[in-house]
Amino acid sequence: MVLLSTSEPTGVAYVQTTNLDGESNLKTRYAKQETLQKIPEKENVSGLIKCEKPNRNIYGFQANMEVDGKQVSLGPSNIILRGCELKNTTWAVGVAVYAGSKTKAMLNNSGAPSKRSRLETHMNLEIIFLSLFLVALCTVVSVCAAVWLRRHRDELDYLPFYRRKDFSEDEEKNYNYYGWGLEIFFTFLMSVIVFQIMIPISLYISMELVRVGQAYFMIRDAEMYDESSNTRFQCRALNINEDLGQIKYVFSDKTGTLTENMMEFQCASIWGVDYNGGKATSQDQKDGYFVQADGQVLRPKMVVKTDPELLQYVRNGKETKEGSYVHDFFLALAACNTIVPIIVDTPDPTLKLIDYQGESPDEQALVYAAAAYGFMLIERTSGHIVIDIQGERKRFNVLGLHEFDSDRKRMSVILGFPNQSVKVFVKGADTTMFSVIDRSLNTSIIRATEAHLQSYSSIGLRTLVIGMRELSTSEFEEWHSAFEVASTALMGRARLLRKIASNIESNLCILGASGIEDKLQQGVPEAIESLRTAGIKVWVLTGDKQETAISIGYSSKLLTSKMTQVIVNSNSKESCRKSLEDAIIMSKKLTTTSGTTNETGRTLGTGSTPVALIIDGTSLVYILDSELEERLFELACNCSVVLCCRVAPLQKAGIISLVKKRTSDMTLAIGDGANDVSMIQMADVGVGISGQEGRQAVMASDFAMGQFRFLVPLLFVHGHWNYQRMGYMILYNFYRNAVFVLVLFWYVLFTCFTLTTAINEWSSVLYSVIYTSVPTVVVGILDKDLSRLTLLKHPQLYGAGHRDECYNKTLFWITMLDTLYQSVVVFFIPLLAYWGSTIDAASIGDLWTLAVVILVNLHLAMDVIHWNWITHAAIWGSIIATFICVIVIDAIPSLVGYWAIFEIAKTRLFWFCLLAIIVTALIPRFVVKVLYQFYAPCDVQIAREAEKFWAQSQSAAVEVEMSPILDHPRR
Amino acid sequence: MTDTDRGTQRDRDSAFYLFTQQNLPACKPVLTPEWVFMTFLFIGFIFIPVGLVTLRASHSVVEIVERYDIGCVPEPFRINKVSYIQDDSIPKNCSFSFKVPKYMKAPIYIYYQLDNYYQNHRRYVKSRSDKQLLHGQNQHGISSCQPVEVNNDRPIIPCGLIAWSLFNDTFTFIRNRAELKVNRKNIAWKSDREHKFGKNVYPFNFQNGTLIGGGKLNPRIPLSDQEDLIVWMRTSALPSFRKLYGRIEKDLDVDDVVVVHLMNNYNTYSFGGKKKLVLSTTSWLGGKNDFLGLAYVFIGSSSVTIAVVFTLLHLLSQRH
């Protein structure tokens, strides 16, 4: 909707775009001056709007409007998109330009790309095996049937149990017999129908149920609840829970992910002087700066610590030369931004707080800093700003604004001063700023500033350089006309504006630089350390400068002093190749000397010299999508840490795809901003941090959480559990269905291969619905192989997922062998015990049904590690439910098996058979399990025993001490 | 819900909180060598005695099995048994005798045993109408009886292949020139007689077709009293099966000579089936079958072996 006018006289409308990009701050939208005065109720407004075709870009809009014969250009700040909410604005009138499914909100409404978990991919392969097995079973049956029919072809007519001839009609004809070939074909089809449970369709359903349950527990986990932002863990994708247990690579964004993205103004370098004081914060400074007006006190919402020396300069005003520079510096900070001040009421009527809302946290920090030094931004409209300078309100006309873009990496504002002079203030990243600063002026100051910048970034501060220039009238006129033309252009407006901006942003006079601290999030160093101990490779991909990235790397314990840094920093393909090759040789040398300890896996990283690779975006440009990728990958594999700095969003995705293409290892990307979206979508598992930079990352992610450190419980606890549970559940489901099918199959061999089932149809249907389904799901949701505490204490246990310990081909085939054995036991013990007796099909069918169900449930019970009352209820309840179902089915007189269960249960032979089946079938599995646990235990097994016996051996006193931690996990 | 999360200590102790944090009280059994050893030993000590008792029970059963399908065909017809059995003009009576090997305590069960007879063939089991057996005259619901559902456009009661192929050899037993009384009542399940076969359903149009499969039924006796049919219609699970014929309620002594007179009517010759007559006593476990007892002894002794092997292994190599 193009804004025409609003309730505000200035034509400003404040909107909140939470529904679109999740940013909760207020944004300003402006109605054009030309339409502001028109009131549609009173007069007809006629005009013509030409706009671009509907597209998905919510940050772009280009159009122009013809009102009263005047061409007016329209940009993204003149429209309100569907999904926005008006705030602090009573009304707004506009013209709808996109409607319905063509709105930007709707066009952006595409689902995240569907991901399939690795376990499921493997499982699908196994299902193909099972299908082949099914086909084999059916083939065996039909071939046998063919042979039987062929051998008895002369007898078929009169066989009492076949009777091919039908004499009930006058003429003799064959009853239900379509010839040898077709009979075989029908037998095949029928066997497919009877044996189709082999393919566990119900597995997919139980998997979904289990995932929902797992997701519920992840969401409810108090350890992943972020109190500061009151956000819970979010599960946005439901089908990759178990992948969390197999992550090998973690790709992390820096800003907002490792760091809090809470910017704090730390120090400034103005006119070559470094002001980084503010250590002694006296009591009167606590309240910070405030302004009194009309008996009311205005105070910025956030208090910034100030440097007393600098404060002194500011208070003294513009008298001295330094003072004027300081004045201009802070004026630039207060003016050169897109921050909107909002005055918030407090319970105290005389006190009002100013809340600065804006898109960039850096700008916010700078404006708060300016306010603390007495340059308080009070009001901002499209035409002017009001700044309270040391208690004196001044109004500046905003003549033009070149917004920040990622190519220029700077923004500028052109201010008309009250004394008619025009100045341009520019603020931007140091690399781009120094190219537009007039180097001939004040060389010493530039050099001093550069030195300061160097020291700022070395302690992990984000730096911005401020420049200024006074414009002459002619310059201004020239710019103004060019700006007018460019901003109404329909084609290539952005390019035109950029050109104009770079024209005006030149020959600047340097004012100074600011250093903003980017605070590390809570628990990040510990989290990274545990991830590394677990054998997960952490790669940090950041858009920051190399120095900043390295300093953050040190403070987050990503880099340690023990590490050897390999830096790849090249400007051409050839030099890239060379430095990569050198680096490979070097890293190989370093890793082979310590290679022996590395191989053992468990002592990873303790005795070796780890190598850290630091590579920058420029080099990546040459490396990605060329044959050098292979080299980089080889190098990166040797390194325990990879730090990529100055990378563009698309490069982040490129790096992930580089890793994904070359290994089968799982990758996880974690980020919080819009620039991480491509990376999150590319990785196997994308995690979004619901932080400050809006919610695009969360929208694109599979899981979202409040803090980076939650990654540790997410992977080590939930990931491990989910993987173990899901892996076991899949194997168990294969086993469960196959054992039943095999019992049916063995019986078919004794019925002339005619697909009769002794187990009645109802039981066949209920088998995977009632008899055995609930325990699977319950165990899949609730079983825990190790306690949370143990898993967090020993990150190495995460390696179980890396080594595919819970689900692999060997396990699958062992399980299938066991299945075969168990089915033989279940089928042949009753067969031999009842051979040549009066047993009828329904009775022995009931015996088989009960035997299979009890066996399958006890098999599960044998593997359950963590027994709580729900597990008990599910397993024993299922067995009881089966008995009840069998009894109910056998109490229906119209079924063949009427009363069979009562008749057979009267005999002792039945119960003896049942006992013999269960024990015989389970013994081999039990023996293998015991042997495996005693003679080839895995980490998890050892940890489990340690957990149990450690707890037992503790004295009572220690136990009392420990129990609060065990019962109430830390938040 | 968030309130519970951020709740007080009391809330944290609540069962629901423990549930959501997956901290429900639970027991985590870990296999210890002692435990494993005890389990196997326990299985062994239960199974071996049970197996021995079972074997004893099986051995206490006295069983006499006489195959008669070949012996009862007169010598000249041995080459073509099928034509013999299908020829109504040839008398089918036959007799043989046997000596009781051991004292047999009443009741002595008389079974006929059929081998290589697939009563579990799919075509066969499907060919019946439980509705008709219970409710009688009903044109509907007999389509399942094909190919033996109607004859001369009138429905057959009881219809279907199973009823049509009713076994019809009869046996009489003579000891010391006196006929042994065979009790042929209550040979079928009570539940079948009362709820599955109608008291008001009488055989009709039965065995009137071109091809006669087996026994005929007295049309004046309701199906619920036709116990031979009821026994026959409870189709057997396996291709070698016995069906109860009756009971002798007198003890048989060692070396008693029993003469069996039988009518060899039933045709198993066309498909090579065997017919046997079985006289058997029962034990508390049922008939004579050593398999289960052997299985129990085998499982029991293997568990004991495993227990011993484990102990040895455990003593030899201590894991740390």
Side-chain angles (χ1 to χ4, degrees):
Chain A
M1 185 175 94
V2 172
L3 266 183
L4 293 182
S5 59
T6 69
S7 57
E8 305 284 308
T10 48
V12 173
Y14 297 99
V15 293
Q16 202 171 20
T17 55
T18 328
N19 296 335
L20 280 175
D21 55 10
E23 292 175 26
S24 57
N25 51 24
L26 289 187
K27 297 199 175 78
T28 44
R29 296 289 182 261
Y30 310 93
K32 281 286 165 183
Q33 298 285 341
E34 289 78 3
T35 58
L36 203 56
Q37 307 308 324
K38 299 194 188 296
I39 302 148
E41 281 93 5
K42 291 192 185 152
E43 51 177 321
N44 276 336
V45 184
S46 60
L48 181 71
I49 297 176
K50 285 183 191 159
C51 63
E52 55 187 352
K53 285 197 170 162
N55 59 29
R56 299 175 61 167
N57 184 3
I58 55 171
Y59 301 108
F61 177 72
Q62 288 187 359
N64 59 17
M65 179 164 60
E66 222 180 284
V67 186
D68 305 336
K70 261 205 278 178
Q71 281 272 352
V72 183
S73 78
L74 298 170
S77 63
N78 302 116
I79 56 166
I80 297 182
L81 298 174
R82 175 178 171 173
C84 294
E85 276 175 71
L86 272 186
K87 294 273 162 144
N88 301 346
T89 312
T90 344
W91 53 265
V93 178
V95 178
V97 283
Y98 304 133
S101 60
K102 293 284 184 276
T103 54
K104 288 177 186 281
M106 292 306 285
L107 286 171
N108 266 297
N109 223 344
S110 70
S114 93
K115 292 178 181 173
R116 176 174 286 167
S117 81
R118 183 149 90 138
L119 213 54
E120 204 173 321
T121 321
H122 282 235
M123 185 189 91
N124 288 342
L125 190 73
E126 256 70 85
I127 285 187
I128 293 172
F129 277 125
L130 285 181
S131 319
L132 291 178
F133 190 53
L134 172 69
V135 171
L137 286 188
C138 297
T139 314
V140 167
V141 170
S142 35
V143 166
C144 289
V147 171
W148 188 86
L149 283 174
R150 174 59 53 153
R151 279 176 53 187
H152 294 82
R153 62 180 179 279
D154 302 329
E155 302 160 9
L156 287 182
D157 287 356
Y158 304 107
L159 261 187
F161 50 85
Y162 198 95
R163 255 289 295 268
R164 185 165 59 189
K165 286 273 183 285
D166 185 355
F167 301 99
S168 52
E169 308 285 321
D170 292 334
E171 53 192 305
E172 285 186 17
K173 60 171 191 186
N174 284 348
Y175 161 68
N176 223 347
Y177 185 83
Y178 308 97
W180 188 66
L182 267 182
E183 282 300 294
I184 294 160
F185 180 63
F186 287 142
T187 307
F188 187 85
L189 290 189
M190 229 144 66
S191 55
V192 171
I193 292 168
V194 171
F195 299 149
Q196 43 94 12
I197 330 170
M198 192 83 178
I199 312 299
I201 304 295
S202 65
L203 174 57
Y204 286 98
I205 299 159
S206 1
M207 272 169 80
E208 290 310 310
L209 284 174
V210 165
R211 281 169 179 157
V212 169
Q214 291 174 344
Y216 174 79
F217 282 123
M218 287 196 269
I219 291 165
R220 300 288 307 199
D221 191 343
E223 268 190 38
M224 297 204 288
Y225 173 75
D226 186 15
E227 277 180 333
S228 59
S229 61
N230 196 14
T231 47
R232 276 208 193 126
F233 183 79
Q234 281 180 50
C235 251
R236 296 175 40 83
L238 261 185
N239 49 355
I240 52 173
N241 285 352
E242 56 274 15
D243 278 351
L244 291 174
Q246 294 187 291
I247 300 298
K248 191 87 197 226
Y249 290 91
V250 168
F251 296 92
S252 172
D253 175 39
K254 188 189 72 69
T255 317
T257 309
L258 298 178
T259 59
E260 268 185 22
N261 206 12
M262 287 275 277
M263 302 300 167
E264 217 167 87
F265 182 80
Q266 282 292 334
C267 47
S269 152
I270 304 169
W271 203 244
V273 185
D274 182 14
Y275 302 96
N276 58 359
K279 285 137 205 152
T281 315
S282 57
Q283 192 55 43
D284 64 312
Q285 276 182 319
K286 262 272 157 71
D287 290 343
Y289 179 81
F290 56 86
V291 177
Q292 256 172 326
D294 310 333
Q296 282 185 332
V297 177
L298 277 174
R299 177 177 291 164
K301 202 177 170 192
M302 246 170 47
V303 180
V304 183
K305 57 180 179 177
T306 48
D307 182 81
E309 196 190 340
L310 189 56
L311 209 58
Q312 201 56 43
Y313 270 121
V314 173
R315 293 227 171 106
N316 289 346
K318 296 165 75 169
E319 277 78 53
T320 59
K321 200 179 169 204
E322 283 83 7
S324 78
Y325 285 123
V326 170
H327 181 272
D328 282 342
F329 178 77
F330 283 113
L331 191 60
L333 291 193
C336 186
N337 53 49
T338 52
I339 296 290
V340 180
I342 289 165
I343 295 169
V344 188
D345 291 321
T346 56
D348 180 5
T350 57
L351 180 72
K352 293 208 169 164
L353 292 179
I354 290 196
D355 187 10
Y356 292 121
Q357 291 271 2
E359 295 177 29
S360 152
D362 295 70
E363 287 187 348
Q364 268 172 302
L366 291 176
V367 176
Y368 276 118
Y373 286 104
F375 291 77
M376 196 187 281
L377 181 67
I378 304 281
E379 194 189 336
R380 168 183 292 274
T381 65
S382 53
H384 69 272
I385 53 174
V386 174
I387 298 177
D388 186 300
I389 302 172
Q390 301 295 338
E392 193 185 330
R393 290 208 179 187
K394 285 193 180 164
R395 189 186 148 118
F396 300 92
N397 289 322
V398 177
L399 300 170
L401 188 93
H402 292 289
E403 286 196 18
F404 183 87
D405 69 51
S406 49
D407 290 329
R408 274 162 52 232
K409 289 200 173 135
R410 57 179 181 255
M411 74 170 288
S412 56
V413 63
I414 293 156
L415 284 191
F417 278 64
N419 61 7
Q420 302 306 316
S421 65
V422 177
K423 281 180 181 173
V424 57
F425 290 97
V426 188
K427 178 187 82 182
D430 46 3
T431 46
T432 56
M433 283 300 284
F434 280 115
S435 61
V436 294
I437 279 171
D438 189 355
R439 287 198 165 257
S440 57
L441 292 165
N442 307 315
T443 334
S444 63
I445 288 169
I446 291 174
R447 219 167 275 147
T449 312
E450 273 178 336
H452 291 152
L453 284 172
Q454 193 69 36
S455 68
Y456 288 170
S457 60
S458 69
I459 54 169
L461 298 181
R462 288 160 79 99
T463 53
L464 284 172
V465 176
I466 318 285
M468 184 200 78
R469 183 156 68 102
E470 195 157 350
L471 295 180
S472 64
T473 326
S474 63
E475 254 181 319
F476 173 70
E477 287 304 324
E478 190 187 322
W479 168 83
H480 189 70
S481 56
F483 185 73
E484 286 287 295
V485 171
S487 54
T488 47
L490 205 54
M491 297 295 290
R493 185 192 295 172
R495 192 174 45 81
L496 280 174
L497 281 176
R498 205 177 299 144
K499 206 172 143 208
I500 293 163
S502 43
N503 280 341
I504 197 96
E505 292 161 359
S506 61
N507 299 322
L508 297 173
C509 159
I510 193 161
L511 278 175
S514 64
I516 300 168
E517 192 195 357
D518 197 358
K519 273 177 136 182
L520 268 189
Q521 277 191 14
Q522 207 187 338
V524 165
E526 293 85 354
I528 287 182
E529 211 178 357
S530 347
L531 288 177
R532 295 247 314 278
T533 328
I536 298 174
K537 292 191 172 171
V538 183
W539 293 32
V540 172
L541 315 176
T542 172
D544 282 325
K545 279 193 300 290
Q546 192 162 309
E547 296 75 34
T548 323
I550 292 176
S551 69
I552 287 287
Y554 275 115
S555 57
S556 62
K557 286 200 187 164
L558 192 66
L559 300 171
T560 57
S561 48
K562 270 189 283 177
M563 285 181 179
T564 319
Q565 290 181 14
V566 178
I567 298 175
V568 177
N569 219 340
S570 337
N571 280 320
S572 74
K573 201 165 174 176
E574 275 318 302
S575 64
C576 254
R577 187 195 305 276
K578 196 169 174 302
S579 52
L580 276 178
E581 272 161 12
D582 290 349
I584 288 171
I585 294 164
M586 189 162 106
S587 64
K588 270 199 183 138
K589 211 190 295 166
L590 285 166
T591 42
T592 42
T593 50
S594 52
T596 42
T597 40
N598 240 336
E599 289 301 303
T600 54
R602 212 175 291 167
T603 52
L604 188 86
T606 45
S608 55
T609 329
V611 184
L613 170 68
I614 294 143
I615 189 161
D616 73 342
T618 344
S619 317
L620 283 173
V621 170
Y622 300 108
I623 293 168
L624 293 178
D625 294 320
S626 74
E627 71 279 1
L628 288 177
E629 270 192 0
E630 196 67 55
R631 281 291 147 90
L632 176 65
F633 179 71
E634 194 185 331
L635 174 61
C637 284
N638 289 332
C639 301
S640 49
V641 173
V642 178
L643 208 72
C644 303
C645 26
R646 288 266 184 249
V647 285
L650 221 57
Q651 281 182 330
K652 292 184 179 183
I655 292 165
I656 292 182
S657 75
L658 171 115
V659 172
K660 263 177 84 177
K661 254 188 271 171
R662 282 173 180 76
T663 62
S664 58
D665 294 328
M666 302 297 294
T667 53
L668 178 145
I670 179 165
D672 75 322
N675 57 343
D676 305 317
V677 169
S678 56
M679 156 172 111
I680 285 172
Q681 285 180 340
M682 174 61 82
D684 294 308
V685 178
V687 178
I689 300 253
S690 32
Q692 297 239 315
E693 279 190 35
R695 289 178 59 85
Q696 289 104 311
V698 173
M699 292 305 184
S701 68
D702 305 308
F703 302 97
M705 52 197 189
Q707 302 253 329
F708 179 80
R709 71 191 147 99
F710 296 158
L711 202 58
V712 174
L714 175 67
L715 295 183
F716 293 176
V717 181
H718 291 286
H720 179 92
W721 283 344
N722 290 348
Y723 168 68
Q724 185 264 338
R725 290 163 178 172
M726 194 59 85
Y728 180 73
M729 200 190 81
I730 293 171
L731 281 179
Y732 175 75
N733 267 273
F734 284 160
Y735 150 78
R736 184 191 76 177
N737 287 15
V739 91
F740 189 74
V741 168
L742 282 170
V743 168
L744 295 178
F745 171 74
W746 299 129
Y747 187 61
V748 166
L749 300 185
F750 291 88
T751 64
C752 284
F753 323 103
T754 54
L755 283 314
T756 321
T757 53
I759 297 169
N760 69 48
E761 285 89 347
W762 283 98
S763 284
S764 301
V765 172
L766 294 180
Y767 179 73
S768 46
V769 180
I770 293 179
Y771 297 175
T772 56
S773 62
V774 180
T776 338
V777 175
V778 167
V779 169
I781 297 175
L782 289 178
D783 199 21
K784 298 194 324 194
D785 57 348
L786 288 169
S787 75
R788 175 190 293 266
L789 215 62
T790 320
L791 286 170
L792 287 178
K793 212 157 96 192
H794 306 289
Q796 296 90 337
L797 291 171
Y798 190 72
H802 291 160
R803 293 189 292 273
D804 283 335
E805 260 175 30
C806 292
Y807 186 86
N808 50 42
K809 282 242 161 54
T810 329
L811 269 182
F812 172 78
W813 290 112
I814 289 176
T815 311
M816 283 298 120
L817 267 183
D818 188 31
T819 309
L820 196 67
Y821 167 78
Q822 293 194 10
S823 73
V824 166
V825 169
V826 170
F827 179 78
F828 284 96
I829 285 185
L831 181 91
L832 293 171
Y834 282 101
W835 188 259
S837 77
T838 57
I839 191 78
D840 64 295
S843 304
I844 207 168
D846 285 343
L847 173 57
W848 277 325
T849 312
L850 291 172
V852 170
V853 171
I854 295 174
L855 172 68
V856 159
N857 278 311
L858 283 182
H859 174 118
L860 181 68
M862 206 165 83
D863 292 339
V864 170
I865 297 152
H866 186 86
W867 283 92
N868 56 34
W869 65 266
I870 301 171
T871 325
H872 278 290
I875 292 180
W876 312 127
S878 284
I879 294 178
I880 293 167
T882 311
F883 269 97
I884 292 170
C885 284
V886 168
I887 287 170
V888 167
I889 291 167
D890 277 357
I892 303 170
S894 58
L895 293 181
V896 182
Y898 179 62
W899 228 244
I901 182 69
F902 298 102
E903 293 288 341
I904 195 173
K906 276 194 286 196
T907 63
R908 294 178 186 85
L909 192 58
F910 169 77
W911 299 103
F912 278 106
C913 272
L914 217 50
L915 181 65
I917 291 169
I918 306 298
V919 173
T920 320
L922 289 180
I923 280 180
R925 189 180 171 82
F926 190 67
V927 169
V928 170
K929 202 174 151 98
V930 168
L931 283 176
Y932 176 68
Q933 289 193 3
F934 289 155
Y935 299 105
C938 57
D939 294 353
V940 175
Q941 182 60 37
I942 295 168
R944 183 153 65 227
E945 284 175 32
E947 192 176 278
K948 174 118 179 169
F949 296 115
W950 179 79
Q952 273 177 2
S953 63
Q954 294 303 303
S955 66
V958 181
E959 219 162 39
V960 170
E961 249 174 62
M962 284 304 299
S963 56
I965 303 170
L966 279 166
D967 292 348
H968 318 297
R970 290 163 289 124
R971 297 275 183 88
Chain B
M1 282 300 181
T2 36
D3 292 335
T4 36
D5 277 357
R6 294 183 295 158
T8 56
Q9 188 70 28
R10 189 179 48 81
D11 287 334
R12 289 214 200 167
D13 285 331
S14 76
F16 185 68
Y17 181 80
L18 290 178
F19 171 69
T20 57
Q21 300 309 309
Q22 309 193 46
N23 264 330
L24 282 179
C27 105
K28 288 167 267 183
V30 167
L31 293 174
T32 63
E34 299 80 37
W35 204 79
V36 171
F37 177 70
M38 291 309 288
T39 312
F40 278 114
L41 222 54
F42 180 76
I43 293 175
F45 283 133
I46 295 290
F47 271 52
I48 293 174
V50 168
L52 291 176
V53 171
T54 314
L55 270 180
R56 214 180 108 90
S58 168
H59 281 289
S60 73
V61 172
V62 184
E63 196 181 73
I64 300 160
V65 184
E66 293 287 339
R67 182 175 175 185
Y68 65 88
D69 57 334
I70 295 170
C72 279
V73 180
E75 208 62 62
F77 297 101
R78 291 266 164 99
I79 308 131
N80 193 350
K81 299 187 204 86
V82 179
S83 65
Y84 157 78
I85 201 83
Q86 282 174 344
D87 192 344
D88 284 339
S89 57
I90 308 164
K92 299 292 188 318
N93 53 346
C94 159
S95 57
F96 60 90
S97 62
F98 57 85
K99 205 189 251 180
V100 178
K102 248 172 157 183
Y103 170 72
M104 291 173 92
K105 196 178 179 311
I108 298 154
Y109 292 87
I110 304 160
Y111 305 96
Y112 50 89
Q113 178 170 345
L114 297 175
D115 290 343
N116 196 21
Y117 193 112
Y118 287 88
Q119 242 200 337
N120 54 16
H121 196 285
R122 191 178 176 83
R123 280 172 83 104
Y124 189 77
V125 257
K126 297 276 167 207
S127 184
R128 62 186 285 158
S129 165
D130 289 296
K131 216 179 208 168
Q132 190 206 45
L133 293 175
L134 187 59
H135 301 296
Q137 283 281 10
N138 195 340
Q139 293 286 355
H140 309 291
I142 58 165
S143 56
S144 63
C145 283
Q146 278 177 343
V148 195
E149 84 279 24
V150 285
N151 189 33
N152 299 327
D153 296 328
R154 294 159 87 182
I156 300 168
I157 302 175
C159 69
L161 263 183
I162 309 179
W164 171 79
S165 62
L166 176 64
F167 186 79
N168 58 352
D169 287 4
T170 57
F171 310 93
T172 45
F173 299 87
I174 290 156
R175 180 180 62 171
N176 304 334
R177 295 176 186 281
E179 188 178 334
L180 276 171
K181 202 172 170 327
V182 175
N183 181 1
R184 303 203 56 214
K185 284 276 162 221
N186 293 334
I187 54 171
W189 292 0
K190 191 160 168 272
S191 56
D192 277 356
R193 276 182 276 138
E194 286 174 0
H195 302 291
K196 226 165 154 53
F197 290 80
K199 288 190 175 54
N200 301 314
V201 184
Y202 294 90
F204 176 75
N205 200 16
F206 187 64
Q207 298 288 22
N208 279 347
T210 331
L211 191 67
I212 296 191
K216 298 196 161 130
L217 293 172
N218 185 342
R220 275 181 294 280
I221 302 175
L223 288 187
S224 64
D225 289 338
Q226 304 269 10
E227 294 208 34
D228 280 328
L229 176 77
I230 299 175
V231 169
W232 183 253
M233 298 231 12
R234 195 149 270 287
T235 53
S236 76
L238 305 167
S240 169
F241 61 91
R242 291 173 186 180
K243 296 265 175 212
L244 189 56
Y245 181 78
R247 280 181 293 266
I248 297 175
E249 278 158 348
K250 274 183 191 156
D251 295 356
L252 292 180
D253 288 321
V254 186
D255 294 340
D256 271 356
V257 174
V258 178
V259 179
V260 185
H261 289 294
L262 60 87
M263 296 295 288
N264 183 17
N265 298 322
Y266 199 67
N267 179 6
T268 54
Y269 303 105
S270 59
F271 57 91
K274 295 175 197 159
K275 295 197 281 189
K276 287 171 187 164
L277 176 68
V278 179
L279 272 80
S280 170
T281 60
T282 55
S283 67
W284 56 272
L285 199 60
K288 193 175 187 68
N289 193 328
D290 288 350
F291 169 76
L292 205 61
L294 291 174
Y296 266 87
V297 172
F298 176 73
I299 302 162
S301 40
S302 345
S303 333
V304 173
T305 322
I306 293 168
V308 171
V309 169
F310 267 146
T311 321
L312 288 177
L313 279 177
H314 187 67
L315 291 176
L316 289 176
S317 65
Q318 287 284 348
R319 173 163 78 81
H320 298 287

